[in-house]
Amino acid sequence: METSLCTLADAVDVLDRMFPPDTALTGDVVGLTVGDPSAPVRSVLLAVDPTLAVIDEAVAGGHDLLVTHHHLLRSGLHAVVPTEPKGAAVLALAGGGVGLYSAHTNADVARGGVNDALAAAIGLQHVEPLSEPEGQPLGRVGQLPGETTLEEFAHQLAGMLPGAPVGLRVAGPREGRVERVAVLGGSGDREFEAVRAAGADVLVTADLRHHPVSEFREHGLLAARSGGPDGPFLVDAGHWATESLWLRDAGQRMVDEVRAATGARITAMVSSTVTDPWDFVVDTQEG
Protein backbone atom coordinates (compact mmCIF):
# COMPACT_ATOMS: atom_id res chain seq x y z
CA MET A 1 0.00 0.00 0.00
CA GLU A 2 1.31 3.44 -0.96
CA THR A 3 2.22 5.47 2.11
CA SER A 4 3.72 8.50 0.38
CA LEU A 5 2.07 10.94 -1.99
CA CYS A 6 3.58 13.22 -4.61
CA THR A 7 1.74 16.49 -5.01
CA LEU A 8 1.92 18.75 -8.04
CA ALA A 9 4.05 21.11 -5.92
CA ASP A 10 6.47 18.22 -5.25
CA ALA A 11 6.63 17.38 -8.96
CA VAL A 12 7.29 21.02 -9.84
CA ASP A 13 10.12 21.15 -7.29
CA VAL A 14 11.73 18.11 -8.89
CA LEU A 15 11.34 19.47 -12.42
CA ASP A 16 12.73 22.85 -11.37
CA ARG A 17 15.83 21.08 -10.04
CA MET A 18 16.19 19.03 -13.22
CA PHE A 19 15.71 22.05 -15.48
CA PRO A 20 16.33 25.22 -13.44
CA PRO A 21 14.01 28.01 -14.63
CA ASP A 22 16.75 30.60 -14.21
CA THR A 23 18.71 28.91 -17.02
CA ALA A 24 15.93 29.65 -19.53
CA LEU A 25 16.86 32.31 -22.05
CA THR A 26 15.54 35.85 -21.74
CA GLY A 27 11.85 36.13 -22.56
CA ASP A 28 11.18 32.41 -22.32
CA VAL A 29 8.27 31.49 -20.05
CA VAL A 30 8.71 28.10 -18.37
CA GLY A 31 7.30 26.21 -15.39
CA LEU A 32 3.80 25.47 -14.15
CA THR A 33 1.03 26.80 -16.41
CA VAL A 34 -2.09 25.00 -15.21
CA GLY A 35 -2.82 23.08 -12.05
CA ASP A 36 -3.51 23.05 -8.31
CA PRO A 37 -0.19 22.63 -6.43
CA SER A 38 -1.94 20.53 -3.78
CA ALA A 39 -3.33 18.02 -6.32
CA PRO A 40 -1.85 14.49 -6.25
CA VAL A 41 0.42 13.32 -9.07
CA ARG A 42 0.65 9.60 -9.74
CA SER A 43 1.03 9.53 -13.53
CA VAL A 44 2.94 11.86 -15.86
CA LEU A 45 2.76 12.21 -19.64
CA LEU A 46 5.62 13.92 -21.51
CA ALA A 47 5.34 15.50 -24.97
CA VAL A 48 6.92 18.15 -27.17
CA ASP A 49 3.75 20.22 -27.70
CA PRO A 50 0.62 20.79 -25.57
CA THR A 51 -1.73 20.37 -28.51
CA LEU A 52 -5.38 19.52 -28.05
CA ALA A 53 -4.67 15.96 -29.22
CA VAL A 54 -1.93 15.54 -26.60
CA ILE A 55 -4.18 16.98 -23.90
CA ASP A 56 -6.95 14.57 -24.92
CA GLU A 57 -4.40 11.76 -24.62
CA ALA A 58 -3.41 12.93 -21.14
CA VAL A 59 -7.03 13.15 -19.96
CA ALA A 60 -8.08 9.83 -21.52
CA GLY A 61 -5.00 8.12 -20.10
CA GLY A 62 -5.75 9.26 -16.56
CA HIS A 63 -2.51 11.25 -16.25
CA ASP A 64 -2.27 13.88 -13.54
CA LEU A 65 0.51 15.97 -15.09
CA LEU A 66 1.52 16.82 -18.64
CA VAL A 67 5.14 17.92 -19.07
CA THR A 68 5.87 19.57 -22.42
CA HIS A 69 8.82 21.22 -24.11
CA HIS A 70 6.84 24.04 -25.67
CA HIS A 71 4.73 26.40 -23.62
CA LEU A 72 0.98 26.57 -24.14
CA LEU A 73 0.66 30.35 -23.74
CA ARG A 74 3.34 31.58 -26.12
CA SER A 75 1.44 34.79 -26.87
CA GLY A 76 -1.04 36.94 -25.00
CA LEU A 77 -4.22 35.20 -23.85
CA HIS A 78 -7.11 37.57 -23.24
CA ALA A 79 -9.95 35.10 -22.76
CA VAL A 80 -10.33 31.43 -21.84
CA VAL A 81 -13.17 30.27 -24.06
CA PRO A 82 -13.76 26.90 -25.75
CA THR A 83 -13.97 28.46 -29.23
CA GLU A 84 -10.25 29.37 -29.19
CA PRO A 85 -7.52 26.66 -29.17
CA LYS A 86 -5.63 28.01 -26.14
CA GLY A 87 -8.81 28.49 -24.16
CA ALA A 88 -10.04 25.05 -25.12
CA ALA A 89 -6.71 23.60 -24.01
CA VAL A 90 -6.80 25.30 -20.60
CA LEU A 91 -10.40 24.23 -20.04
CA ALA A 92 -9.65 20.64 -21.08
CA LEU A 93 -6.68 20.46 -18.73
CA ALA A 94 -8.60 21.94 -15.81
CA GLY A 95 -11.69 19.85 -16.49
CA GLY A 96 -9.61 16.67 -16.76
CA GLY A 97 -7.62 17.38 -13.62
CA VAL A 98 -4.33 17.50 -15.54
CA GLY A 99 -1.58 19.93 -14.58
CA LEU A 100 0.69 21.42 -17.25
CA TYR A 101 4.40 22.19 -16.86
CA SER A 102 6.80 23.32 -19.58
CA ALA A 103 10.60 23.13 -19.80
CA HIS A 104 11.75 24.93 -22.94
CA THR A 105 15.14 26.62 -23.37
CA ASN A 106 16.07 25.47 -19.86
CA ALA A 107 15.70 21.91 -21.21
CA ASP A 108 17.63 22.84 -24.37
CA VAL A 109 20.72 23.84 -22.39
CA ALA A 110 20.45 21.28 -19.58
CA ARG A 111 22.74 18.32 -19.09
CA GLY A 112 20.69 15.37 -20.28
CA GLY A 113 18.30 17.72 -22.05
CA VAL A 114 17.23 18.19 -25.66
CA ASN A 115 20.63 18.61 -27.30
CA ASP A 116 22.48 16.05 -25.20
CA ALA A 117 19.82 13.48 -26.11
CA LEU A 118 20.12 14.32 -29.82
CA ALA A 119 23.92 14.09 -29.71
CA ALA A 120 23.74 10.76 -27.86
CA ALA A 121 21.25 9.30 -30.34
CA ILE A 122 23.58 10.13 -33.22
CA GLY A 123 26.46 8.55 -31.32
CA LEU A 124 28.66 11.62 -31.05
CA GLN A 125 31.87 11.42 -29.04
CA HIS A 126 33.88 14.16 -27.31
CA VAL A 127 30.74 16.30 -27.13
CA GLU A 128 30.99 19.98 -26.21
CA PRO A 129 28.72 23.03 -26.41
CA LEU A 130 28.23 24.54 -29.85
CA SER A 131 27.86 28.09 -28.46
CA GLU A 132 27.01 29.92 -25.24
CA PRO A 133 24.09 32.41 -25.21
CA GLU A 134 23.65 34.27 -21.93
CA GLY A 135 26.25 32.01 -20.33
CA GLN A 136 24.32 28.81 -21.11
CA PRO A 137 25.55 26.00 -23.40
CA LEU A 138 23.42 26.00 -26.54
CA GLY A 139 23.59 23.12 -29.00
CA ARG A 140 26.29 20.45 -29.05
CA VAL A 141 29.11 19.43 -31.38
CA GLY A 142 31.09 16.19 -31.44
CA GLN A 143 32.71 13.47 -33.51
CA LEU A 144 31.23 10.44 -35.21
CA PRO A 145 33.15 7.19 -34.58
CA GLY A 146 34.41 7.44 -38.15
CA GLU A 147 34.03 9.40 -41.36
CA THR A 148 31.04 8.74 -43.59
CA THR A 149 29.25 10.34 -46.51
CA LEU A 150 26.54 12.92 -46.11
CA GLU A 151 24.02 10.61 -47.76
CA GLU A 152 24.87 7.70 -45.45
CA PHE A 153 24.79 9.97 -42.42
CA ALA A 154 21.35 11.26 -43.41
CA HIS A 155 20.00 7.73 -43.81
CA GLN A 156 21.42 6.71 -40.41
CA LEU A 157 19.92 9.83 -38.83
CA ALA A 158 16.52 9.04 -40.33
CA GLY A 159 16.65 5.65 -38.63
CA MET A 160 17.49 7.19 -35.24
CA LEU A 161 14.80 9.86 -35.12
CA PRO A 162 11.10 9.27 -34.46
CA GLY A 163 9.12 9.06 -37.67
CA ALA A 164 7.69 12.36 -38.88
CA PRO A 165 5.72 13.09 -42.06
CA VAL A 166 8.24 15.54 -43.54
CA GLY A 167 11.34 13.36 -43.29
CA LEU A 168 14.74 15.03 -43.74
CA ARG A 169 15.88 17.86 -46.02
CA VAL A 170 19.59 17.82 -46.82
CA ALA A 171 21.76 20.62 -48.24
CA GLY A 172 25.07 19.31 -49.56
CA PRO A 173 26.46 16.73 -51.99
CA ARG A 174 25.58 13.10 -51.35
CA GLU A 175 29.27 12.19 -51.40
CA GLY A 176 30.26 14.99 -49.00
CA ARG A 177 32.47 13.80 -46.13
CA VAL A 178 31.04 13.97 -42.61
CA GLU A 179 32.72 13.29 -39.28
CA ARG A 180 32.27 16.33 -37.02
CA VAL A 181 28.58 16.98 -36.35
CA ALA A 182 26.78 19.92 -34.73
CA VAL A 183 23.25 19.51 -33.37
CA LEU A 184 20.67 22.08 -32.31
CA GLY A 185 17.17 20.81 -31.61
CA GLY A 186 14.43 23.01 -33.00
CA SER A 187 15.14 26.17 -35.00
CA GLY A 188 18.86 26.51 -35.69
CA ASP A 189 19.73 28.99 -38.45
CA ARG A 190 20.76 31.62 -35.87
CA GLU A 191 23.85 29.54 -35.03
CA PHE A 192 25.37 29.20 -38.51
CA GLU A 193 28.47 31.20 -37.57
CA ALA A 194 29.01 29.00 -34.50
CA VAL A 195 28.80 25.93 -36.73
CA ARG A 196 31.59 27.27 -38.93
CA ALA A 197 33.68 28.28 -35.93
CA ALA A 198 33.30 24.79 -34.42
CA GLY A 199 34.66 23.16 -37.58
CA ALA A 200 31.54 21.03 -38.02
CA ASP A 201 30.98 19.19 -41.27
CA VAL A 202 27.21 19.23 -40.88
CA LEU A 203 24.52 20.82 -38.70
CA VAL A 204 21.44 18.83 -37.70
CA THR A 205 18.60 21.20 -36.81
CA ALA A 206 15.17 22.28 -38.10
CA ASP A 207 12.99 25.09 -39.47
CA LEU A 208 15.58 26.16 -42.02
CA ARG A 209 14.62 28.93 -44.44
CA HIS A 210 15.53 29.31 -48.09
CA HIS A 211 17.66 32.46 -48.05
CA PRO A 212 19.80 31.71 -44.95
CA VAL A 213 20.46 28.17 -46.20
CA SER A 214 21.31 29.36 -49.70
CA GLU A 215 23.77 31.95 -48.41
CA PHE A 216 25.32 29.49 -45.95
CA ARG A 217 25.94 26.92 -48.67
CA GLU A 218 27.30 29.56 -51.05
CA HIS A 219 30.04 30.30 -48.51
CA GLY A 220 31.06 26.64 -48.59
CA LEU A 221 30.94 26.39 -52.36
CA LEU A 222 33.03 29.55 -52.69
CA ALA A 223 35.62 28.13 -50.29
CA ALA A 224 35.75 24.92 -52.35
CA ARG A 225 36.80 26.91 -55.41
CA SER A 226 39.98 27.80 -53.52
CA GLY A 227 40.65 24.19 -52.60
CA GLY A 228 38.96 24.20 -49.20
CA PRO A 229 36.13 21.98 -47.94
CA ASP A 230 32.69 22.66 -49.41
CA GLY A 231 30.91 22.34 -46.05
CA PRO A 232 29.43 22.72 -43.61
CA PHE A 233 26.35 20.87 -44.83
CA LEU A 234 22.85 21.10 -43.39
CA VAL A 235 20.17 18.61 -42.38
CA ASP A 236 16.71 19.90 -41.53
CA ALA A 237 15.31 16.99 -39.51
CA GLY A 238 12.12 18.64 -38.29
CA HIS A 239 11.33 20.55 -35.13
CA TRP A 240 9.26 17.87 -33.41
CA ALA A 241 11.62 15.01 -34.27
CA THR A 242 14.79 16.75 -33.06
CA GLU A 243 13.13 17.76 -29.79
CA SER A 244 11.47 14.43 -28.94
CA LEU A 245 14.39 12.27 -27.88
CA TRP A 246 15.03 13.77 -24.43
CA LEU A 247 11.54 13.00 -23.12
CA ARG A 248 12.06 9.33 -22.27
CA ASP A 249 15.11 9.91 -20.08
CA ALA A 250 13.53 13.00 -18.52
CA GLY A 251 10.53 10.93 -17.52
CA GLN A 252 12.65 8.19 -15.95
CA ARG A 253 14.77 10.74 -14.13
CA MET A 254 11.62 12.39 -12.81
CA VAL A 255 10.33 9.05 -11.51
CA ASP A 256 13.62 8.42 -9.71
CA GLU A 257 13.93 11.90 -8.25
CA VAL A 258 10.32 12.01 -7.03
CA ARG A 259 10.91 8.67 -5.32
CA ALA A 260 14.09 9.98 -3.67
CA ALA A 261 12.51 13.27 -2.61
CA THR A 262 9.08 12.13 -1.41
CA GLY A 263 9.11 8.35 -1.21
CA ALA A 264 6.18 8.30 -3.65
CA ARG A 265 6.02 6.05 -6.67
CA ILE A 266 4.86 7.72 -9.87
CA THR A 267 4.83 6.55 -13.47
CA ALA A 268 5.92 8.48 -16.55
CA MET A 269 5.43 7.81 -20.25
CA VAL A 270 6.07 9.63 -23.51
CA SER A 271 3.10 10.69 -25.61
CA SER A 272 2.36 8.60 -28.68
CA THR A 273 0.93 11.63 -30.49
CA VAL A 274 3.02 13.07 -33.32
CA THR A 275 2.75 16.85 -32.98
CA ASP A 276 4.62 17.78 -36.14
CA PRO A 277 2.14 20.19 -37.81
CA TRP A 278 2.73 18.74 -41.29
CA ASP A 279 0.59 15.75 -42.25
CA PHE A 280 2.04 14.47 -45.53
CA VAL A 281 4.41 15.28 -48.37
CA VAL A 282 4.15 14.76 -52.10
CA ASP A 283 7.39 13.78 -53.86
CA THR A 284 8.47 15.68 -56.96
CA GLN A 285 10.91 14.50 -59.63
CA GLU A 286 14.58 15.46 -59.30
CA GLY A 287 16.24 17.32 -62.13
Side-chain angles (χ1 to χ4, degrees), residues 186-217:
S187 303
D189 59 15
R190 63 191 178 277
E191 295 299 321
F192 280 175
E193 289 304 319
V195 172
R196 289 194 188 95
D201 301 311
V202 64
L203 169 65
V204 177
T205 187
D207 298 346
L208 295 180
R209 298 169 294 155
H210 175 92
H211 293 296
V213 169
S214 179
E215 183 173 352
F216 184 75
R217 287 295 299 132

Side-chain angles (χ1 to χ4, degrees), residues 25-56:
L25 302 186
T26 299
D28 190 21
V29 179
V30 298
L32 184 64
T33 304
V34 177
D36 177 355
S38 66
V41 172
R42 297 183 178 88
S43 180
V44 180
L45 183 68
L46 297 96
V48 173
D49 300 287
T51 62
L52 291 171
V54 168
I55 292 169
D56 287 345

Side-chain angles (χ1 to χ4, degrees), residues 155-208:
H155 281 292
Q156 291 173 354
L157 179 63
M160 298 167 187
L161 293 173
V166 296
L168 307 182
R169 298 189 299 169
V170 183
R174 296 176 184 272
E175 69 278 6
R177 308 309 297 177
V178 171
E179 185 170 12
R180 186 161 173 80
V181 179
V183 299
L184 183 57
S187 303
D189 59 15
R190 63 191 178 277
E191 295 299 321
F192 280 175
E193 289 304 319
V195 172
R196 289 194 188 95
D201 301 311
V202 64
L203 169 65
V204 177
T205 187
D207 298 346
L208 295 180

Side-chain angles (χ1 to χ4, degrees), residues 21-107:
D22 61 1
T23 63
L25 302 186
T26 299
D28 190 21
V29 179
V30 298
L32 184 64
T33 304
V34 177
D36 177 355
S38 66
V41 172
R42 297 183 178 88
S43 180
V44 180
L45 183 68
L46 297 96
V48 173
D49 300 287
T51 62
L52 291 171
V54 168
I55 292 169
D56 287 345
E57 181 185 356
V59 173
H63 301 287
D64 307 300
L65 174 60
L66 174 61
V67 176
T68 63
H69 186 45
H70 295 137
H71 201 275
L72 175 64
L73 308 179
R74 293 174 58 86
S75 57
L77 181 66
H78 304 290
V80 178
V81 293
T83 54
E84 294 293 335
K86 301 303 183 186
V90 171
L91 291 171
L93 288 162
V98 180
L100 175 64
Y101 180 101
S102 66
H104 189 215
T105 54
N106 50 330

